[in-house]
Amino acid sequence: MRTDRVVIPRPFGGLSAFLWTEFLVQIHEELAMATSMIVQGVLLVFVWVLNPSLIGVALLGAVVFSMFTMGQRVLNEAAYVRIDHKASDLYLASPLTPEAYFLGMSAGVLLVYLPPVVAVAVLAELVVHLTVGVALLLLGVSVAVWISAASIGYVLSTQFRDNRAIWAYSSLFFNVFGVLPPVFYPIGLFPSELRPIVLLMPPSAAAALLQRAIGSATLPAWEVALAAIGLAVEALALFLLAVVWARRTVRSN
Amino acid sequence: MSDEALRSTELRKIYRSKGAPAVTALAGVSMDVRRGERVALLGRNGAGKTTFLRIASTLLRPTSGSIEVFGFDVDRTPEKVRPFIAVVPQEGKPFFHLTPREQVYTYLRARGFGRETARSRTEESLERMGLTEFGDRLSITLSGGQRQRTMVATVIATEAPLLFLDEPTIGMDPFARRGVWDSLRTLTQRGSTILLTTHYLDEADALADRLYIVERGEVLVSGSAEDLKRAVGGTLKVSMPQGAGEIERFRSFGTCVADGAGLTVIVAPERLGELMALAVGSRLTATVGPVTLEEAFLYVVGRSIDAD
Ligand SMILES: Nc1ncnc2c1ncn2[C@@H]1O[C@H](COP(=O)(O)OP(=O)(O)OP(=O)(O)O)[C@@H](O)[C@H]1O
Ligand SMILES: [Mg+2]
């Protein structure tokens, strides 16, 4: 057996195989899939009842919110398999790279929970008639929100020793940041002094850009720039943080 | 190129957590495992076995000391070590929503094996662990022992150069355990090296070329099972279920251990006749058997506890 020649795995080595593993793991959770759109559904009904003219905003918001809560799933999944299954020991003491473990898990979760989100996006298209530009923007901000949320989720997951503590925090965190700021309702209804804050939060920044694109919000140029650049920089920075974090936390202290 | 698969020198680990006193889990452990060896780490609960395995398998940082795997420093270059190792973690479980076949196959793929190799290794490994019958059932529907077999199947399928197994046969029936022993023997014949922990001393006896007994983070003794048994002072043991009251009359024969009403005496074969005569004269029922590793363990560790 040759052990004199080390082949250090490439960055992200093992990504597609681990993504596939996580996909198989998730696809069996029919109940979780069935209930994954409940919060969005309820909020859409509220908006429909209270002000049907805002349903386009709410549908796009539902897509953004769904991408954001993928982070909650990553947080719960990463912590659960590490604490209850010791899956991280099995997979990380191996040539599979830690960053592939993080990203593969996140992408596997995404793949399974994406179809209903796509359905909502199609519904949005039917209601609002998205231009190609808006559709591309929707795609772009969705990716950015997902990357941010999955990265936050993975980083947070490493901080817990007990799953029960997480479940409470994670639903609080992801629901509050996804529901309270203007994601399902127009940013114009939000107090203007506080707008810079919500424009720096990935879900509400994404929603604001979409609302502006479909003409449901008017933002000064500097706010557009704040939201767009902020979202892009945050997504990139959080992703890099999660990669570095994943590598560092293979070993505990 | 180093001849050793693993070498640790004065390895220390102190766990520090907020609001709790620091725990010294390893107090300077030096050991070496040669290529192709099967080495067992024995010790009471909390002795430091898992801590050692986790440090060696790049999952935990030591406080001081050094440890190398195939000549690579584990603490400084963990990424060079990882391709060579595979780990069965203590209390690990397969993914509940994968079947054993998927679990093993996807693990091999994640480690970089090609489809063909992964497929044939998966089948071989499932077969070895007696999992063919359950291969396509979700692990959530399997029994505890079947899940543990799935974990072992996952790891042995890698045929990694160095395998760490933390209580690999826990909860397994005697047939399954023997299946694991056979597989591990085959792996070392093919060139792998194995470091395992176990609380089953018959397992250590049957499987390990060498043993390290650890107690409170220190190596108490090391050697083969035979070396250890000899250290007890005899190779035979005489058990007398009602003999505790007569313990003083047997002290001159060797180590005597009273356990409730019973008495066990470790004796060299030359003095067996004399001892049996005394037992019969004292109207005690006595049965003779070989000293097991378990007795050697109780003797060695017990002596160390008494010494404190
Ligand atoms: N994360 C931790 N924080 C603090 N102390 C720890 C931690 N993990 C282990 N310990 C302590 O370190 C010591 C060694 O633990 P370890 O898990 O290595 O024992 P072990 O020999 O594997 O025991 P067992 O046979 O029960 O598995 C014990 O005293 C344990 O309480
Ligand atoms: Mg242990």
Side-chain angles (χ1 to χ4, degrees), chain A residues 3-4 6 21 28 84-86 89-90 92 94 250-253, chain B residues 13 35 54 58-61 75 80 82 87 90 93-94 97 106-107:
Chain A
T3 49
D4 49 334
V6 228
T21 307
H28 289 108
D84 276 26
H85 287 255
K86 307 281 169 73
D89 287 11
L90 181 68
L92 296 177
S94 94
V250 175
R251 295 186 295 168
S252 49
N253 271 308
Chain B
K13 176 67 191 177
R35 286 170 184 256
R54 286 180 59 81
T58 78
L59 295 168
L60 181 68
R61 301 200 66 169
D75 198 40
K80 288 189 181 166
R82 289 186 188 126
V87 179
Q90 181 172 15
K93 295 178 205 139
H97 291 97
T106 53
Y107 183 66

PDB file of all heavy atoms in Angstrom, chain A residues 3-4 6 21 28 84-86 89-90 92 94 250-253, chain B residues 13 35 54 58-61 75 80 82 87 90 93-94 97 106-107:
ATOM      1  N   THR A   3       1.995   4.803   0.693  1.00  0.00           N
ATOM      2  CA  THR A   3       1.675   5.920   1.573  1.00  0.00           C
ATOM      3  C   THR A   3       2.774   6.965   1.472  1.00  0.00           C
ATOM      4  O   THR A   3       2.782   7.940   2.199  1.00  0.00           O
ATOM      5  CB  THR A   3       1.574   5.452   3.029  1.00  0.00           C
ATOM      6  OG1 THR A   3       2.714   4.673   3.330  1.00  0.00           O
ATOM      7  CG2 THR A   3       0.318   4.666   3.256  1.00  0.00           C
ATOM      8  N   ASP A   4       3.722   6.742   0.540  1.00  0.00           N
ATOM      9  CA  ASP A   4       4.820   7.695   0.424  1.00  0.00           C
ATOM     10  C   ASP A   4       4.416   8.885  -0.445  1.00  0.00           C
ATOM     11  O   ASP A   4       5.011   9.940  -0.388  1.00  0.00           O
ATOM     12  CB  ASP A   4       6.051   7.008  -0.176  1.00  0.00           C
ATOM     13  CG  ASP A   4       5.713   6.227  -1.429  1.00  0.00           C
ATOM     14  OD1 ASP A   4       4.541   5.814  -1.562  1.00  0.00           O
ATOM     15  OD2 ASP A   4       6.593   6.040  -2.275  1.00  0.00           O
ATOM     16  N   VAL A   6       1.666  11.533  -1.267  1.00  0.00           N
ATOM     17  CA  VAL A   6       0.393  12.106  -0.817  1.00  0.00           C
ATOM     18  C   VAL A   6      -0.261  12.837  -1.973  1.00  0.00           C
ATOM     19  O   VAL A   6       0.394  13.600  -2.661  1.00  0.00           O
ATOM     20  CB  VAL A   6       0.556  13.197   0.267  1.00  0.00           C
ATOM     21  CG1 VAL A   6      -0.378  12.963   1.402  1.00  0.00           C
ATOM     22  CG2 VAL A   6       1.977  13.398   0.641  1.00  0.00           C
ATOM     23  N   THR A  21     -25.029  12.432  -2.032  1.00  0.00           N
ATOM     24  CA  THR A  21     -25.325  11.757  -0.764  1.00  0.00           C
ATOM     25  C   THR A  21     -26.411  12.522  -0.016  1.00  0.00           C
ATOM     26  O   THR A  21     -27.418  11.955   0.412  1.00  0.00           O
ATOM     27  CB  THR A  21     -24.061  11.717   0.128  1.00  0.00           C
ATOM     28  OG1 THR A  21     -22.990  11.162  -0.618  1.00  0.00           O
ATOM     29  CG2 THR A  21     -24.300  10.892   1.379  1.00  0.00           C
ATOM     30  N   HIS A  28     -35.887  11.470   1.151  1.00  0.00           N
ATOM     31  CA  HIS A  28     -36.801  10.570   1.850  1.00  0.00           C
ATOM     32  C   HIS A  28     -37.679  11.274   2.870  1.00  0.00           C
ATOM     33  O   HIS A  28     -38.535  10.663   3.482  1.00  0.00           O
ATOM     34  CB  HIS A  28     -36.010   9.462   2.550  1.00  0.00           C
ATOM     35  CG  HIS A  28     -35.416   8.486   1.591  1.00  0.00           C
ATOM     36  ND1 HIS A  28     -34.078   8.425   1.322  1.00  0.00           N
ATOM     37  CD2 HIS A  28     -35.992   7.545   0.816  1.00  0.00           C
ATOM     38  CE1 HIS A  28     -33.849   7.491   0.426  1.00  0.00           C
ATOM     39  NE2 HIS A  28     -34.987   6.938   0.100  1.00  0.00           N
ATOM     40  N   ASP A  84     -25.735  13.828  16.370  1.00  0.00           N
ATOM     41  CA  ASP A  84     -26.425  12.550  16.569  1.00  0.00           C
ATOM     42  C   ASP A  84     -25.800  11.393  15.798  1.00  0.00           C
ATOM     43  O   ASP A  84     -25.868  10.253  16.237  1.00  0.00           O
ATOM     44  CB  ASP A  84     -27.896  12.674  16.148  1.00  0.00           C
ATOM     45  CG  ASP A  84     -28.743  13.245  17.260  1.00  0.00           C
ATOM     46  OD1 ASP A  84     -28.175  13.974  18.099  1.00  0.00           O
ATOM     47  OD2 ASP A  84     -29.956  12.975  17.302  1.00  0.00           O
ATOM     48  N   HIS A  85     -25.232  11.660  14.655  1.00  0.00           N
ATOM     49  CA  HIS A  85     -24.734  10.568  13.817  1.00  0.00           C
ATOM     50  C   HIS A  85     -23.221  10.492  13.753  1.00  0.00           C
ATOM     51  O   HIS A  85     -22.683   9.523  13.245  1.00  0.00           O
ATOM     52  CB  HIS A  85     -25.292  10.701  12.391  1.00  0.00           C
ATOM     53  CG  HIS A  85     -26.740  10.355  12.286  1.00  0.00           C
ATOM     54  ND1 HIS A  85     -27.173   9.179  11.727  1.00  0.00           N
ATOM     55  CD2 HIS A  85     -27.842  11.005  12.707  1.00  0.00           C
ATOM     56  CE1 HIS A  85     -28.491   9.133  11.793  1.00  0.00           C
ATOM     57  NE2 HIS A  85     -28.924  10.231  12.383  1.00  0.00           N
ATOM     58  N   LYS A  86     -22.538  11.526  14.203  1.00  0.00           N
ATOM     59  CA  LYS A  86     -21.078  11.602  14.061  1.00  0.00           C
ATOM     60  C   LYS A  86     -20.684  11.509  12.590  1.00  0.00           C
ATOM     61  O   LYS A  86     -19.625  11.004  12.248  1.00  0.00           O
ATOM     62  CB  LYS A  86     -20.376  10.485  14.845  1.00  0.00           C
ATOM     63  CG  LYS A  86     -20.768  10.393  16.309  1.00  0.00           C
ATOM     64  CD  LYS A  86     -20.036  11.445  17.133  1.00  0.00           C
ATOM     65  CE  LYS A  86     -20.594  11.563  18.532  1.00  0.00           C
ATOM     66  NZ  LYS A  86     -20.261  10.454  19.382  1.00  0.00           N
ATOM     67  N   ASP A  89     -17.438  13.197  11.719  1.00  0.00           N
ATOM     68  CA  ASP A  89     -16.210  12.441  11.994  1.00  0.00           C
ATOM     69  C   ASP A  89     -15.920  11.486  10.844  1.00  0.00           C
ATOM     70  O   ASP A  89     -14.791  11.365  10.367  1.00  0.00           O
ATOM     71  CB  ASP A  89     -16.347  11.612  13.286  1.00  0.00           C
ATOM     72  CG  ASP A  89     -16.289  12.490  14.529  1.00  0.00           C
ATOM     73  OD1 ASP A  89     -16.356  13.726  14.386  1.00  0.00           O
ATOM     74  OD2 ASP A  89     -16.184  11.931  15.639  1.00  0.00           O
ATOM     75  N   LEU A  90     -16.978  10.800  10.418  1.00  0.00           N
ATOM     76  CA  LEU A  90     -16.817   9.817   9.347  1.00  0.00           C
ATOM     77  C   LEU A  90     -16.330  10.497   8.064  1.00  0.00           C
ATOM     78  O   LEU A  90     -15.406  10.027   7.408  1.00  0.00           O
ATOM     79  CB  LEU A  90     -18.160   9.131   9.106  1.00  0.00           C
ATOM     80  CG  LEU A  90     -18.199   8.039   8.037  1.00  0.00           C
ATOM     81  CD1 LEU A  90     -17.402   6.832   8.489  1.00  0.00           C
ATOM     82  CD2 LEU A  90     -19.646   7.629   7.752  1.00  0.00           C
ATOM     83  N   LEU A  92     -15.192  13.784   7.580  1.00  0.00           N
ATOM     84  CA  LEU A  92     -14.124  14.790   7.572  1.00  0.00           C
ATOM     85  C   LEU A  92     -12.754  14.183   7.850  1.00  0.00           C
ATOM     86  O   LEU A  92     -11.743  14.751   7.432  1.00  0.00           O
ATOM     87  CB  LEU A  92     -14.446  15.919   8.543  1.00  0.00           C
ATOM     88  CG  LEU A  92     -15.707  16.704   8.131  1.00  0.00           C
ATOM     89  CD1 LEU A  92     -16.045  17.774   9.150  1.00  0.00           C
ATOM     90  CD2 LEU A  92     -15.540  17.312   6.740  1.00  0.00           C
ATOM     91  N   SER A  94     -11.214  12.110   6.283  1.00  0.00           N
ATOM     92  CA  SER A  94     -11.187  11.399   5.003  1.00  0.00           C
ATOM     93  C   SER A  94     -10.731  12.381   3.936  1.00  0.00           C
ATOM     94  O   SER A  94     -10.613  13.574   4.198  1.00  0.00           O
ATOM     95  CB  SER A  94     -12.587  10.860   4.683  1.00  0.00           C
ATOM     96  OG  SER A  94     -13.303  11.769   3.872  1.00  0.00           O
ATOM     97  N   VAL A 250     -13.016  21.358  11.438  1.00  0.00           N
ATOM     98  CA  VAL A 250     -12.871  19.897  11.383  1.00  0.00           C
ATOM     99  C   VAL A 250     -12.279  19.430  12.703  1.00  0.00           C
ATOM    100  O   VAL A 250     -12.688  18.431  13.280  1.00  0.00           O
ATOM    101  CB  VAL A 250     -11.932  19.470  10.238  1.00  0.00           C
ATOM    102  CG1 VAL A 250     -11.693  17.967  10.285  1.00  0.00           C
ATOM    103  CG2 VAL A 250     -12.490  19.886   8.896  1.00  0.00           C
ATOM    104  N   ARG A 251     -11.319  20.208  13.178  1.00  0.00           N
ATOM    105  CA  ARG A 251     -10.685  19.844  14.444  1.00  0.00           C
ATOM    106  C   ARG A 251     -11.233  20.715  15.552  1.00  0.00           C
ATOM    107  O   ARG A 251     -11.204  21.933  15.464  1.00  0.00           O
ATOM    108  CB  ARG A 251      -9.175  20.036  14.342  1.00  0.00           C
ATOM    109  CG  ARG A 251      -8.571  19.082  13.348  1.00  0.00           C
ATOM    110  CD  ARG A 251      -7.089  19.162  13.350  1.00  0.00           C
ATOM    111  NE  ARG A 251      -6.622  20.449  12.891  1.00  0.00           N
ATOM    112  CZ  ARG A 251      -5.359  20.841  13.019  1.00  0.00           C
ATOM    113  NH1 ARG A 251      -4.485  20.069  13.610  1.00  0.00           N
ATOM    114  NH2 ARG A 251      -4.994  22.004  12.566  1.00  0.00           N
ATOM    115  N   SER A 252     -11.715  20.067  16.606  1.00  0.00           N
ATOM    116  CA  SER A 252     -12.157  20.848  17.752  1.00  0.00           C
ATOM    117  C   SER A 252     -10.967  21.055  18.677  1.00  0.00           C
ATOM    118  O   SER A 252      -9.915  20.441  18.501  1.00  0.00           O
ATOM    119  CB  SER A 252     -13.305  20.136  18.466  1.00  0.00           C
ATOM    120  OG  SER A 252     -12.963  18.800  18.683  1.00  0.00           O
ATOM    121  N   ASN A 253     -11.165  21.900  19.675  1.00  0.00           N
ATOM    122  CA  ASN A 253     -10.046  22.218  20.563  1.00  0.00           C
ATOM    123  C   ASN A 253     -10.132  21.500  21.891  1.00  0.00           C
ATOM    124  O   ASN A 253     -11.148  21.331  22.445  1.00  0.00           O
ATOM    125  CB  ASN A 253      -9.977  23.713  20.813  1.00  0.00           C
ATOM    126  CG  ASN A 253      -9.133  24.382  19.764  1.00  0.00           C
ATOM    127  OD1 ASN A 253      -8.009  23.970  19.513  1.00  0.00           O
ATOM    128  ND2 ASN A 253      -9.701  25.375  19.108  1.00  0.00           N
TER     129      ASN A 253
ATOM    130  N   LYS B  13      -3.509  15.902  26.318  1.00  0.00           N
ATOM    131  CA  LYS B  13      -4.726  16.627  25.981  1.00  0.00           C
ATOM    132  C   LYS B  13      -5.427  17.057  27.254  1.00  0.00           C
ATOM    133  O   LYS B  13      -5.750  16.230  28.115  1.00  0.00           O
ATOM    134  CB  LYS B  13      -5.672  15.745  25.157  1.00  0.00           C
ATOM    135  CG  LYS B  13      -6.996  16.409  24.852  1.00  0.00           C
ATOM    136  CD  LYS B  13      -6.837  17.583  23.917  1.00  0.00           C
ATOM    137  CE  LYS B  13      -8.097  18.413  23.815  1.00  0.00           C
ATOM    138  NZ  LYS B  13      -7.890  19.598  22.955  1.00  0.00           N
ATOM    139  N   ARG B  35       3.354  -0.683  10.550  1.00  0.00           N
ATOM    140  CA  ARG B  35       2.519  -0.976   9.382  1.00  0.00           C
ATOM    141  C   ARG B  35       2.040  -2.417   9.409  1.00  0.00           C
ATOM    142  O   ARG B  35       2.820  -3.324   9.685  1.00  0.00           O
ATOM    143  CB  ARG B  35       3.325  -0.769   8.107  1.00  0.00           C
ATOM    144  CG  ARG B  35       3.545   0.681   7.795  1.00  0.00           C
ATOM    145  CD  ARG B  35       4.546   0.817   6.683  1.00  0.00           C
ATOM    146  NE  ARG B  35       4.826   2.221   6.457  1.00  0.00           N
ATOM    147  CZ  ARG B  35       4.342   2.903   5.429  1.00  0.00           C
ATOM    148  NH1 ARG B  35       3.613   2.316   4.511  1.00  0.00           N
ATOM    149  NH2 ARG B  35       4.624   4.184   5.312  1.00  0.00           N
ATOM    150  N   ARG B  54      -9.322  10.405  18.378  1.00  0.00           N
ATOM    151  CA  ARG B  54      -9.768  11.635  17.699  1.00  0.00           C
ATOM    152  C   ARG B  54      -8.587  12.537  17.342  1.00  0.00           C
ATOM    153  O   ARG B  54      -8.591  13.173  16.293  1.00  0.00           O
ATOM    154  CB  ARG B  54     -10.793  12.385  18.557  1.00  0.00           C
ATOM    155  CG  ARG B  54     -12.163  11.701  18.563  1.00  0.00           C
ATOM    156  CD  ARG B  54     -13.175  12.457  19.417  1.00  0.00           C
ATOM    157  NE  ARG B  54     -13.366  13.829  18.968  1.00  0.00           N
ATOM    158  CZ  ARG B  54     -14.151  14.192  17.963  1.00  0.00           C
ATOM    159  NH1 ARG B  54     -14.847  13.277  17.317  1.00  0.00           N
ATOM    160  NH2 ARG B  54     -14.260  15.443  17.624  1.00  0.00           N
ATOM    161  N   THR B  58      -7.164  13.387  13.191  1.00  0.00           N
ATOM    162  CA  THR B  58      -7.233  14.802  12.774  1.00  0.00           C
ATOM    163  C   THR B  58      -8.529  15.491  13.181  1.00  0.00           C
ATOM    164  O   THR B  58      -8.884  16.515  12.604  1.00  0.00           O
ATOM    165  CB  THR B  58      -7.079  15.003  11.241  1.00  0.00           C
ATOM    166  OG1 THR B  58      -8.316  14.673  10.591  1.00  0.00           O
ATOM    167  CG2 THR B  58      -5.968  14.151  10.642  1.00  0.00           C
ATOM    168  N   LEU B  59      -9.225  14.970  14.189  1.00  0.00           N
ATOM    169  CA  LEU B  59     -10.505  15.575  14.557  1.00  0.00           C
ATOM    170  C   LEU B  59     -10.437  16.411  15.834  1.00  0.00           C
ATOM    171  O   LEU B  59     -11.404  17.083  16.190  1.00  0.00           O
ATOM    172  CB  LEU B  59     -11.570  14.490  14.720  1.00  0.00           C
ATOM    173  CG  LEU B  59     -11.919  13.743  13.428  1.00  0.00           C
ATOM    174  CD1 LEU B  59     -12.755  12.512  13.716  1.00  0.00           C
ATOM    175  CD2 LEU B  59     -12.639  14.659  12.452  1.00  0.00           C
ATOM    176  N   LEU B  60      -9.291  16.338  16.503  1.00  0.00           N
ATOM    177  CA  LEU B  60      -9.159  17.039  17.780  1.00  0.00           C
ATOM    178  C   LEU B  60      -7.710  17.490  17.900  1.00  0.00           C
ATOM    179  O   LEU B  60      -6.794  16.752  17.498  1.00  0.00           O
ATOM    180  CB  LEU B  60      -9.516  16.068  18.919  1.00  0.00           C
ATOM    181  CG  LEU B  60      -9.467  16.565  20.351  1.00  0.00           C
ATOM    182  CD1 LEU B  60     -10.558  17.596  20.603  1.00  0.00           C
ATOM    183  CD2 LEU B  60      -9.646  15.390  21.316  1.00  0.00           C
ATOM    184  N   ARG B  61      -7.506  18.682  18.428  1.00  0.00           N
ATOM    185  CA  ARG B  61      -6.134  19.173  18.547  1.00  0.00           C
ATOM    186  C   ARG B  61      -5.539  18.781  19.893  1.00  0.00           C
ATOM    187  O   ARG B  61      -6.200  18.902  20.924  1.00  0.00           O
ATOM    188  CB  ARG B  61      -6.103  20.687  18.390  1.00  0.00           C
ATOM    189  CG  ARG B  61      -6.664  21.119  17.047  1.00  0.00           C
ATOM    190  CD  ARG B  61      -6.212  22.482  16.678  1.00  0.00           C
ATOM    191  NE  ARG B  61      -4.769  22.491  16.447  1.00  0.00           N
ATOM    192  CZ  ARG B  61      -4.127  23.518  15.908  1.00  0.00           C
ATOM    193  NH1 ARG B  61      -4.788  24.595  15.572  1.00  0.00           N
ATOM    194  NH2 ARG B  61      -2.829  23.475  15.728  1.00  0.00           N
ATOM    195  N   ASP B  75      -0.890  17.213  13.555  1.00  0.00           N
ATOM    196  CA  ASP B  75      -1.382  18.529  13.958  1.00  0.00           C
ATOM    197  C   ASP B  75      -1.027  19.607  12.942  1.00  0.00           C
ATOM    198  O   ASP B  75      -1.811  20.515  12.708  1.00  0.00           O
ATOM    199  CB  ASP B  75      -0.820  18.901  15.337  1.00  0.00           C
ATOM    200  CG  ASP B  75      -1.630  20.021  15.968  1.00  0.00           C
ATOM    201  OD1 ASP B  75      -2.866  19.986  15.841  1.00  0.00           O
ATOM    202  OD2 ASP B  75      -1.032  20.933  16.569  1.00  0.00           O
ATOM    203  N   LYS B  80      -2.658  16.231   4.861  1.00  0.00           N
ATOM    204  CA  LYS B  80      -1.847  15.177   4.246  1.00  0.00           C
ATOM    205  C   LYS B  80      -2.168  13.808   4.845  1.00  0.00           C
ATOM    206  O   LYS B  80      -1.909  12.778   4.244  1.00  0.00           O
ATOM    207  CB  LYS B  80      -0.354  15.473   4.461  1.00  0.00           C
ATOM    208  CG  LYS B  80       0.137  16.629   3.635  1.00  0.00           C
ATOM    209  CD  LYS B  80       1.642  16.734   3.704  1.00  0.00           C
ATOM    210  CE  LYS B  80       2.101  17.920   2.888  1.00  0.00           C
ATOM    211  NZ  LYS B  80       3.497  18.275   3.183  1.00  0.00           N
ATOM    212  N   ARG B  82      -5.306  12.899   6.076  1.00  0.00           N
ATOM    213  CA  ARG B  82      -6.696  12.455   5.851  1.00  0.00           C
ATOM    214  C   ARG B  82      -6.875  11.463   4.711  1.00  0.00           C
ATOM    215  O   ARG B  82      -7.685  10.536   4.837  1.00  0.00           O
ATOM    216  CB  ARG B  82      -7.618  13.666   5.681  1.00  0.00           C
ATOM    217  CG  ARG B  82      -7.800  14.394   7.002  1.00  0.00           C
ATOM    218  CD  ARG B  82      -8.803  15.517   6.959  1.00  0.00           C
ATOM    219  NE  ARG B  82      -8.740  16.233   8.230  1.00  0.00           N
ATOM    220  CZ  ARG B  82      -8.561  17.531   8.373  1.00  0.00           C
ATOM    221  NH1 ARG B  82      -8.472  18.312   7.308  1.00  0.00           N
ATOM    222  NH2 ARG B  82      -8.476  18.070   9.564  1.00  0.00           N
ATOM    223  N   VAL B  87     -12.322   6.295   9.708  1.00  0.00           N
ATOM    224  CA  VAL B  87     -12.674   6.259  11.128  1.00  0.00           C
ATOM    225  C   VAL B  87     -14.078   5.709  11.358  1.00  0.00           C
ATOM    226  O   VAL B  87     -15.032   6.159  10.718  1.00  0.00           O
ATOM    227  CB  VAL B  87     -12.652   7.699  11.716  1.00  0.00           C
ATOM    228  CG1 VAL B  87     -13.045   7.685  13.174  1.00  0.00           C
ATOM    229  CG2 VAL B  87     -11.299   8.331  11.536  1.00  0.00           C
ATOM    230  N   GLN B  90     -16.950   6.520  17.769  1.00  0.00           N
ATOM    231  CA  GLN B  90     -17.731   5.939  18.849  1.00  0.00           C
ATOM    232  C   GLN B  90     -19.156   6.475  18.757  1.00  0.00           C
ATOM    233  O   GLN B  90     -19.358   7.675  18.595  1.00  0.00           O
ATOM    234  CB  GLN B  90     -17.129   6.311  20.209  1.00  0.00           C
ATOM    235  CG  GLN B  90     -17.887   5.701  21.377  1.00  0.00           C
ATOM    236  CD  GLN B  90     -17.188   5.902  22.721  1.00  0.00           C
ATOM    237  OE1 GLN B  90     -16.278   6.721  22.845  1.00  0.00           O
ATOM    238  NE2 GLN B  90     -17.620   5.148  23.717  1.00  0.00           N
ATOM    239  N   LYS B  93     -23.571   6.727  13.689  1.00  0.00           N
ATOM    240  CA  LYS B  93     -24.724   6.040  13.085  1.00  0.00           C
ATOM    241  C   LYS B  93     -24.729   6.326  11.592  1.00  0.00           C
ATOM    242  O   LYS B  93     -24.349   7.422  11.185  1.00  0.00           O
ATOM    243  CB  LYS B  93     -26.037   6.574  13.661  1.00  0.00           C
ATOM    244  CG  LYS B  93     -26.229   6.290  15.134  1.00  0.00           C
ATOM    245  CD  LYS B  93     -27.538   6.907  15.600  1.00  0.00           C
ATOM    246  CE  LYS B  93     -27.503   7.197  17.083  1.00  0.00           C
ATOM    247  NZ  LYS B  93     -28.123   8.475  17.415  1.00  0.00           N
ATOM    248  N   PRO B  94     -25.198   5.371  10.800  1.00  0.00           N
ATOM    249  CA  PRO B  94     -25.332   5.671   9.372  1.00  0.00           C
ATOM    250  C   PRO B  94     -26.453   6.684   9.184  1.00  0.00           C
ATOM    251  O   PRO B  94     -27.282   6.872  10.072  1.00  0.00           O
ATOM    252  CB  PRO B  94     -25.715   4.316   8.762  1.00  0.00           C
ATOM    253  CG  PRO B  94     -26.343   3.555   9.879  1.00  0.00           C
ATOM    254  CD  PRO B  94     -25.688   4.023  11.146  1.00  0.00           C
ATOM    255  N   HIS B  97     -31.719   7.842   6.500  1.00  0.00           N
ATOM    256  CA  HIS B  97     -32.508   7.797   5.272  1.00  0.00           C
ATOM    257  C   HIS B  97     -31.722   7.340   4.063  1.00  0.00           C
ATOM    258  O   HIS B  97     -32.067   7.639   2.929  1.00  0.00           O
ATOM    259  CB  HIS B  97     -33.210   9.130   5.042  1.00  0.00           C
ATOM    260  CG  HIS B  97     -34.285   9.388   6.053  1.00  0.00           C
ATOM    261  ND1 HIS B  97     -34.072  10.153   7.169  1.00  0.00           N
ATOM    262  CD2 HIS B  97     -35.537   8.894   6.152  1.00  0.00           C
ATOM    263  CE1 HIS B  97     -35.175  10.147   7.902  1.00  0.00           C
ATOM    264  NE2 HIS B  97     -36.078   9.392   7.312  1.00  0.00           N
ATOM    265  N   THR B 106     -22.069   5.680  -1.445  1.00  0.00           N
ATOM    266  CA  THR B 106     -21.884   7.135  -1.527  1.00  0.00           C
ATOM    267  C   THR B 106     -20.661   7.573  -0.714  1.00  0.00           C
ATOM    268  O   THR B 106     -19.979   8.525  -1.089  1.00  0.00           O
ATOM    269  CB  THR B 106     -23.123   7.909  -1.020  1.00  0.00           C
ATOM    270  OG1 THR B 106     -23.458   7.441   0.285  1.00  0.00           O
ATOM    271  CG2 THR B 106     -24.302   7.733  -1.947  1.00  0.00           C
ATOM    272  N   TYR B 107     -20.387   6.858   0.372  1.00  0.00           N
ATOM    273  CA  TYR B 107     -19.195   7.221   1.155  1.00  0.00           C
ATOM    274  C   TYR B 107     -17.934   7.000   0.320  1.00  0.00           C
ATOM    275  O   TYR B 107     -17.036   7.853   0.287  1.00  0.00           O
ATOM    276  CB  TYR B 107     -19.140   6.418   2.458  1.00  0.00           C
ATOM    277  CG  TYR B 107     -17.963   6.799   3.329  1.00  0.00           C
ATOM    278  CD1 TYR B 107     -17.886   8.063   3.905  1.00  0.00           C
ATOM    279  CD2 TYR B 107     -16.925   5.903   3.569  1.00  0.00           C
ATOM    280  CE1 TYR B 107     -16.810   8.426   4.694  1.00  0.00           C
ATOM    281  CE2 TYR B 107     -15.846   6.267   4.362  1.00  0.00           C
ATOM    282  CZ  TYR B 107     -15.791   7.522   4.922  1.00  0.00           C
ATOM    283  OH  TYR B 107     -14.718   7.888   5.693  1.00  0.00           O
TER     284      TYR B 107
END
